[in-house]
Amino acid sequence: MSQVLVEKKQEGYVVLTLNRPHKMNAITKQMTQEFYQAIVDLKQNGGVKFLVVTGAGERAFCSGGDLNELHGEMSAEDAYQLLHPMKQALYELATFPVPTIALMNGQARGGGCEIATACDFRYGVESSSFGFVQGNLGITPGWGGGALLYQRIKADFAAHWLMDAEMYQTEQVYRIGWLHKMITDNSKAENVLFSSFLNKTLKQMEVFKQQYLTHIHTEGLSERMDQEVYACSQLWESEEHKAAVRNFAQMRKRS
């Protein structure tokens, strides 16, 4: 069964859905490969007015990496090899030639926030929460999302959120500029959410996106993201990280 669904809409945009709702759309190796390939294929084929990334179900957009694969008992080298492919996917997403929107149908934590940050814009449900919680696991963001965060919001807000490593409510992330739209129950219809984008032409969207990429200076972005992956992988062997993963796994078993 596919873990990333690709749906081309007749209005000219595409929706990528992370499809593991029973696991809060946690990322696996298979999902990483499918996600990367879908983005690359869409880039090569063109003809997409804008791209939407969302999660299946209503509980979560994405809860980060699946701990069955991203467990604590890996070497730094093994961790790097496992983390880096998702960094490549997020770089392709961040440099996609037309606008991208993270439609967060529920909470996003850890790597889920990294995926959302790789998108140009983020829409989230009012009753949810979002957090770069990796700091509480003895590591840092490992897919390049921290480097991207500094390009999305003010540097001091980004630094505080990464170091704070707490879940923030929807209104708070809207206030600091990470979230662009708060979704209410009566605004979930696509014609409401995307109405301002749907009446633009493909060429307009391409020009707008290129102007944006020029403004945020993407030169060296891939290297900065690589450095983040490497730094995270070096922390993977720490006792703090191993203990945090074990504690999380035990809590999950009890719940």
Side-chain angles (χ1 to χ4, degrees), residues 174-214:
Y174 181 78
R175 189 166 59 248
I176 66 176
W178 187 74
L179 198 69
H180 296 85
K181 282 187 179 182
M182 291 190 289
I183 305 170
T184 59
D185 288 338
N186 61 2
S187 68
K188 290 182 180 179
E190 292 177 358
N191 61 335
V192 174
L193 287 175
F194 309 136
S195 58
S196 60
F197 281 27
L198 290 171
N199 63 13
K200 308 298 187 301
T201 67
L202 171 59
K203 188 60 180 177
Q204 281 178 290
M205 290 305 217
E206 290 174 339
V207 171
F208 282 136
K209 181 57 179 281
Q210 187 55 52
Q211 185 179 41
Y212 176 58
L213 290 176
T214 300

Coordinates of all heavy atoms in Angstrom, one line a residue, residues 174-214:
Y174 N 0.8 31.2 14.7 CA 0.2 32.2 13.7 C 0.8 33.6 14.1 O 1.2 34.4 13.2 CB -1.3 32.3 13.8 CG -2.0 33.3 12.9 CD1 -2.1 33.0 11.5 CD2 -2.4 34.5 13.4 CE1 -2.7 33.9 10.7 CE2 -3.1 35.4 12.5 CZ -3.2 35.1 11.2 OH -3.8 36.0 10.4
R175 N 0.9 33.9 15.4 CA 1.4 35.2 15.8 C 2.9 35.4 15.5 O 3.3 36.5 15.1 CB 1.2 35.3 17.3 CG 1.5 36.7 17.9 CD 1.0 36.8 19.3 NE 1.6 35.8 20.2 CZ 0.9 34.8 20.8 NH1 -0.4 34.7 20.5 NH2 1.5 34.0 21.6
I176 N 3.7 34.3 15.5 CA 5.1 34.5 15.2 C 5.4 34.4 13.7 O 6.6 34.5 13.2 CB 6.0 33.5 15.9 CG1 5.7 32.0 15.5 CG2 5.8 33.6 17.4 CD1 6.6 31.0 16.1
G177 N 4.4 34.2 12.9 CA 4.5 34.2 11.4 C 4.8 32.9 10.8 O 5.0 32.8 9.5
W178 N 4.8 31.8 11.5 CA 5.0 30.5 10.9 C 3.8 30.0 10.2 O 3.8 29.4 9.2 CB 5.4 29.5 12.0 CG 5.9 28.1 11.5 CD1 7.0 27.8 10.8 CD2 5.1 26.9 11.6 NE1 7.1 26.5 10.6 CE2 5.9 25.9 11.0 CE3 3.9 26.6 12.2 CZ2 5.5 24.6 11.0 CZ3 3.5 25.2 12.2 CH2 4.3 24.3 11.6
L179 N 2.6 30.2 10.8 CA 1.3 29.8 10.2 C 0.7 31.0 9.5 O 0.7 32.1 10.0 CB 0.4 29.3 11.3 CG -0.8 28.5 10.9 CD1 -0.3 27.1 10.4 CD2 -1.8 28.3 12.1
H180 N 0.2 30.7 8.3 CA -0.4 31.8 7.4 C -1.9 31.8 7.5 O -2.5 32.9 7.3 CB 0.1 31.6 6.0 CG 1.5 31.7 5.8 ND1 2.4 30.7 6.0 CD2 2.3 32.8 5.5 CE1 3.7 31.1 5.8 NE2 3.6 32.4 5.5
K181 N -2.6 30.7 7.7 CA -4.0 30.7 7.9 C -4.4 29.7 9.0 O -3.8 28.6 9.1 CB -4.7 30.2 6.6 CG -4.8 31.3 5.5 CD -5.6 30.8 4.3 CE -5.7 31.8 3.2 NZ -6.6 31.3 2.1
M182 N -5.4 30.1 9.8 CA -6.0 29.2 10.8 C -7.3 28.7 10.2 O -8.1 29.4 9.7 CB -6.2 30.0 12.1 CG -4.9 30.3 12.8 SD -5.2 31.0 14.5 CE -6.0 32.6 14.1
I183 N -7.4 27.4 10.2 CA -8.5 26.7 9.6 C -9.6 26.4 10.6 O -9.4 25.8 11.6 CB -8.1 25.4 8.9 CG1 -7.0 25.6 8.0 CG2 -9.3 24.7 8.2 CD1 -6.3 24.3 7.5
T184 N -10.8 26.9 10.3 CA -12.0 26.6 11.1 C -12.8 25.5 10.4 O -12.5 25.1 9.3 CB -12.9 27.8 11.3 OG1 -13.3 28.3 10.0 CG2 -12.1 28.9 12.0
D185 N -13.7 24.9 11.1 CA -14.5 23.8 10.6 C -15.2 24.2 9.3 O -15.3 23.3 8.4 CB -15.5 23.3 11.6 CG -14.9 22.5 12.7 OD1 -13.8 22.0 12.5 OD2 -15.5 22.4 13.8
N186 N -15.6 25.4 9.2 CA -16.4 25.8 8.0 C -15.5 26.4 6.9 O -15.9 26.9 5.9 CB -17.4 26.9 8.4 CG -16.8 28.1 9.0 OD1 -15.6 28.2 9.1 ND2 -17.7 29.1 9.3
S187 N -14.1 26.3 7.1 CA -13.2 26.8 6.0 C -12.4 25.6 5.4 O -11.4 25.9 4.8 CB -12.3 27.9 6.6 OG -11.4 27.3 7.5
K188 N -12.8 24.4 5.7 CA -11.9 23.3 5.2 C -12.2 23.0 3.7 O -11.4 22.3 3.1 CB -12.3 22.0 6.0 CG -11.8 22.1 7.5 CD -12.0 20.8 8.2 CE -11.5 20.8 9.6 NZ -11.8 19.6 10.4
A189 N -13.2 23.5 3.1 CA -13.5 23.2 1.7 C -12.4 23.8 0.9 O -11.9 24.9 1.1 CB -14.8 23.8 1.3
E190 N -11.9 23.1 -0.1 CA -10.8 23.5 -0.9 C -11.0 24.8 -1.6 O -10.1 25.6 -1.8 CB -10.3 22.4 -1.8 CG -9.8 21.2 -1.1 CD -9.4 20.1 -2.1 OE1 -9.7 20.2 -3.3 OE2 -8.9 19.0 -1.6
N191 N -12.3 25.0 -2.1 CA -12.6 26.2 -2.8 C -12.5 27.5 -1.9 O -12.3 28.6 -2.4 CB -13.9 26.1 -3.5 CG -15.1 26.0 -2.5 OD1 -14.9 25.5 -1.4 ND2 -16.3 26.4 -2.9
V192 N -12.6 27.2 -0.6 CA -12.4 28.3 0.4 C -11.0 28.5 0.7 O -10.5 29.7 0.7 CB -13.3 28.0 1.6 CG1 -13.0 29.1 2.7 CG2 -14.7 28.0 1.3
L193 N -10.3 27.4 1.0 CA -8.9 27.5 1.4 C -8.0 28.1 0.3 O -7.1 28.9 0.6 CB -8.4 26.2 1.9 CG -8.9 25.6 3.2 CD1 -8.4 24.2 3.4 CD2 -8.4 26.5 4.3
F194 N -8.2 27.6 -0.9 CA -7.3 27.9 -2.0 C -7.9 28.9 -3.0 O -7.3 29.0 -4.1 CB -6.8 26.7 -2.7 CG -6.3 25.6 -1.8 CD1 -6.7 24.3 -1.9 CD2 -5.5 25.9 -0.7 CE1 -6.3 23.3 -1.0 CE2 -5.0 24.9 0.1 CZ -5.4 23.6 0.0
S195 N -8.9 29.6 -2.7 CA -9.6 30.4 -3.7 C -8.7 31.5 -4.3 O -8.8 31.7 -5.5 CB -10.8 31.1 -3.1 OG -10.5 31.9 -1.9
S196 N -7.8 32.1 -3.5 CA -7.0 33.1 -4.0 C -5.9 32.6 -4.9 O -5.3 33.3 -5.7 CB -6.3 33.9 -2.8 OG -5.5 33.0 -2.0
F197 N -5.5 31.3 -4.8 CA -4.5 30.7 -5.7 C -5.2 30.2 -6.9 O -4.6 30.1 -8.0 CB -3.8 29.6 -4.9 CG -2.8 30.0 -4.0 CD1 -2.8 31.2 -3.4 CD2 -1.7 29.1 -3.7 CE1 -1.8 31.6 -2.5 CE2 -0.7 29.5 -2.8 CZ -0.8 30.8 -2.2
L198 N -6.4 29.7 -6.8 CA -7.1 29.0 -8.0 C -7.3 30.0 -9.1 O -7.4 29.5 -10.3 CB -8.4 28.4 -7.5 CG -8.3 27.2 -6.6 CD1 -9.6 26.8 -6.1 CD2 -7.6 26.0 -7.3
N199 N -7.4 31.3 -8.9 CA -7.7 32.2 -10.0 C -6.5 32.8 -10.6 O -6.5 33.7 -11.4 CB -8.7 33.3 -9.5 CG -8.0 34.2 -8.4 OD1 -6.8 34.1 -8.2 ND2 -8.9 35.0 -7.8
K200 N -5.3 32.2 -10.3 CA -4.0 32.6 -10.9 C -3.6 31.6 -12.0 O -4.0 30.4 -11.9 CB -2.9 32.7 -9.8 CG -3.2 33.5 -8.6 CD -3.5 35.0 -8.9 CE -3.6 35.9 -7.7 NZ -4.7 35.5 -6.8
T201 N -2.9 32.1 -12.9 CA -2.4 31.2 -14.0 C -1.1 30.5 -13.5 O -0.4 30.9 -12.6 CB -2.1 32.0 -15.3 OG1 -1.0 32.9 -15.0 CG2 -3.3 32.8 -15.7
L202 N -0.8 29.4 -14.2 CA 0.4 28.7 -13.9 C 1.7 29.6 -14.1 O 2.6 29.6 -13.3 CB 0.6 27.5 -14.9 CG 1.9 26.7 -14.9 CD1 2.2 26.2 -13.5 CD2 1.9 25.6 -15.9
K203 N 1.7 30.4 -15.1 CA 2.8 31.3 -15.4 C 2.9 32.3 -14.2 O 4.1 32.6 -13.8 CB 2.6 32.0 -16.7 CG 3.9 32.8 -17.1 CD 5.1 31.9 -17.3 CE 6.3 32.7 -17.6 NZ 7.5 31.8 -17.7
Q204 N 1.8 32.9 -13.8 CA 1.9 33.8 -12.6 C 2.5 33.1 -11.4 O 3.4 33.7 -10.8 CB 0.5 34.2 -12.3 CG -0.1 35.3 -13.1 CD -1.5 35.6 -12.7 OE1 -2.4 34.8 -12.8 NE2 -1.7 36.8 -12.1
M205 N 2.1 31.9 -11.1 CA 2.6 31.2 -10.0 C 4.1 30.9 -10.1 O 4.9 31.0 -9.1 CB 1.9 29.9 -9.8 CG 0.4 30.1 -9.3 SD 0.3 31.1 -7.8 CE -1.1 30.2 -7.0
E206 N 4.6 30.6 -11.3 CA 6.0 30.3 -11.5 C 6.8 31.6 -11.3 O 7.9 31.6 -10.7 CB 6.2 29.8 -12.9 CG 5.7 28.4 -13.2 CD 5.8 28.0 -14.6 OE1 5.9 28.9 -15.5 OE2 5.8 26.8 -14.9
V207 N 6.3 32.7 -11.8 CA 7.0 34.0 -11.6 C 7.0 34.4 -10.1 O 8.0 34.8 -9.6 CB 6.3 35.1 -12.4 CG1 6.9 36.5 -12.1 CG2 6.5 34.8 -13.9
F208 N 5.9 34.3 -9.4 CA 5.8 34.6 -8.0 C 6.8 33.7 -7.2 O 7.5 34.2 -6.3 CB 4.4 34.4 -7.5 CG 3.4 35.5 -7.8 CD1 2.1 35.1 -8.2 CD2 3.7 36.8 -7.6 CE1 1.2 36.1 -8.5 CE2 2.8 37.8 -7.9 CZ 1.6 37.5 -8.4
K209 N 6.9 32.4 -7.5 CA 7.7 31.5 -6.8 C 9.2 31.9 -7.0 O 10.0 31.8 -6.1 CB 7.4 30.1 -7.1 CG 8.3 29.1 -6.3 CD 8.1 29.2 -4.8 CE 9.0 28.2 -4.0 NZ 8.4 26.9 -4.0
Q210 N 9.5 32.1 -8.3 CA 10.9 32.5 -8.6 C 11.4 33.7 -7.9 O 12.5 33.8 -7.3 CB 11.1 32.6 -10.1 CG 12.6 32.8 -10.5 CD 13.5 31.7 -10.0 OE1 13.2 30.5 -10.2 NE2 14.6 32.0 -9.3
Q211 N 10.5 34.7 -7.8 CA 10.8 35.9 -7.1 C 11.0 35.7 -5.6 O 11.9 36.2 -5.0 CB 9.6 36.9 -7.3 CG 9.9 38.3 -6.7 CD 8.7 39.2 -6.9 OE1 7.5 38.8 -6.8 NE2 9.0 40.5 -7.3
Y212 N 10.2 34.8 -5.0 CA 10.3 34.4 -3.6 C 11.7 33.7 -3.4 O 12.4 34.1 -2.4 CB 9.2 33.6 -3.2 CG 9.2 33.1 -1.8 CD1 9.3 33.9 -0.7 CD2 9.2 31.7 -1.5 CE1 9.4 33.5 0.6 CE2 9.3 31.2 -0.2 CZ 9.3 32.1 0.8 OH 9.4 31.6 2.1
L213 N 12.0 32.8 -4.2 CA 13.3 32.0 -4.0 C 14.5 32.9 -4.1 O 15.5 32.8 -3.4 CB 13.4 30.9 -5.1 CG 12.4 29.7 -4.9 CD1 12.5 28.7 -6.0 CD2 12.6 29.0 -3.5
T214 N 14.4 33.9 -5.0 CA 15.5 34.9 -5.2 C 15.6 35.7 -3.9 O 16.7 36.0 -3.4 CB 15.2 35.8 -6.4 OG1 15.2 35.0 -7.6 CG2 16.4 36.8 -6.5

